[in-house]
Amino acid sequence: MSAVPLPRRRASLLRRLSSQEMMLAVAVIGLALVVGLVNPRFLSANNLADILLGNAYVAVAAIGMSMVIVSGNIDISVGALIGVLATVSGTLAVKGYPIALAWAAPLVIGMAVMALQGAVVAYLGIPAIVVTLGMLSILKGGLISVTGGKWITDLPDNFHLADIEIFGVIPMPVAIMVVATLLAAGWMRFWPGGRAIYATGGNAEAARLSGVSPRRVVVGVFALHGFFAGIAALIFATQLRVIQSTAPPNLELTVITAAVVGGVSILGGVGTVIGATLAAILIAEITSALVFINVSPYWTHAVQGALILATVVADILRRRRRLGGGGLMRRLLARHEMILAAILIVALIGLGRANDQFLTLDNLLNQGRLMTEIGLIALPMTFVIITGGIDLSVGAIVGLCAILLGYSWKTFGLPLPLAIAFSLCVGALAGFLNGLVITRLKAPPLIVTIASLAFYRGLAEGISKARSVRGYPEWFYTLGQGEWLGVPAQLWILGVAIVLFGVALDRTSFGRTLYAIGSNETAARFSALPVDRAKLIVYTLSGLMSGVSAFVLVSRVTTTRSDMGLGYELDVVAAVVLGGASIFGGSGTIWGTVIGLVMIQLLK
């Protein structure tokens, strides 16, 4: 057998050196050395151990997330699931159940919950973003409802698995992280089950024709994801002396960031779990480094968002280099809206009978006041979803616009009307940037807006540093608290917006273009429709209306904080989808969204 030619060996070596895993390893070491030169305490054994110990559970969760994304799916419920599983484990330990059961329960429950989501995705054809978004809300709400907000204390000493050290040197969380990464990497690369995940994510139809069952693969990969989420929850819970009854904030974002930055393609079919683990370590290292070089930790989310965006852009550019029935639909939508309207009427009657204060004019007007901010964002979100897109950054844009409104007026001395106009321009610009990345680079809207969610929220936190702005002049509160002809002022704004968006969608060529794009974007392009321009407009509108929502919200609550709009994206998407808009694009109406919005507010 002849030896491998030298040029070929050099090419192979260059490919390995330029791999995502190698670059991440170099980044981890290089960052440590650079920050160590600025502040030698960064390289202390205690700090390096804290970086690994405190984030081992994130790396383990990123293993499962990598598998899900490689299969062509996404999961944004993992943070809430880890919070629930940690609570379950701690509760069992406190109640005196065998410690082995307390340790095993998160693994079994995690697999069951994720397998259920995988089955819904695979067999009902519902997009993973919708399924996991719903599960996120269920898990978060259920955790608070069941625990009543109480923390778990008095955990037994033998519960703390994370305190164990192997050979008296290697902490158990680090050992679990390393072993899980190596086993998962070997399985993904060498075993048929792992290769099937790559095949399904790369081309599901080709995988099916090759004898692979994409449905089984999706269910299996979600179950595996749940298993790793259970391990992550166990590591997380056993490191604590007190377990809070809330999910770790923004954990799902950190896990997704680790997977994507680690080299897992957001388009599916590419990536490794080793890269995800190294990326999780790098993200933790960056967070720690910001503290040691005296940069406010409030900028952490902005850094995470920028990392995701940079990785997405790099992945798309790399792939580019490698590649070198209207009438019937209207009737169906009308029927859906009629069903929703009937449900709404029944709900109103039932709630009115249950409480005689519910159907009073004052209560109904107050409910309208409270739903205005969500409603203003739901209108352009309807446009976005009709085109087949999604925008999860709207809540973060609300927070950013609110902060810039307050700070440009209070700190920089802009007249308040100019400060309001400035914040609206920032909202429109934020939406425009989302649309620009989506249209010019053809990046998936889900990943782009998850990244910008972190980026915009991080900007708001970095600018405000948890400080609020108060003391606005009295005239400013008229919009949020005043009334015109006995009706809350903001309801007039919402009503005008509903009419304008409804007419634009139903009665203009622009609205017909949106339906055409969502139904078949390729056909829309061949028909010479301005697809990219229309998408750019709807994402810009989404950002602009988020700015308007921020203005109304600040006027109503009389203060400005960076956490304003937190969680708005869940209610907005839920209202639009409940109102009949297909998450696949091509269908939906403003009037259905309004009914969905009212139903959600009444449930609250």
Side-chain angles (χ1 to χ4, degrees), residues 65 68 73-81 113-114 116-118 120-121 126-140 222 225 252 256 392 446 450 570:
M65 182 65 74
V68 169
N73 293 284
I74 193 77
D75 171 34
I76 59 174
S77 69
V78 64
L81 179 61
V113 171
M114 281 297 177
L116 175 62
Q117 293 191 82
V120 173
V121 172
I126 302 176
I129 174 62
V130 177
V131 175
T132 58
L133 186 65
M135 184 59 73
L136 168 68
S137 183
I138 292 170
L139 292 173
K140 280 190 172 181
F222 268 90
H225 178 38
E252 58 279 347
I256 292 172
L392 297 182
L446 170 65
I450 283 178
L570 299 179

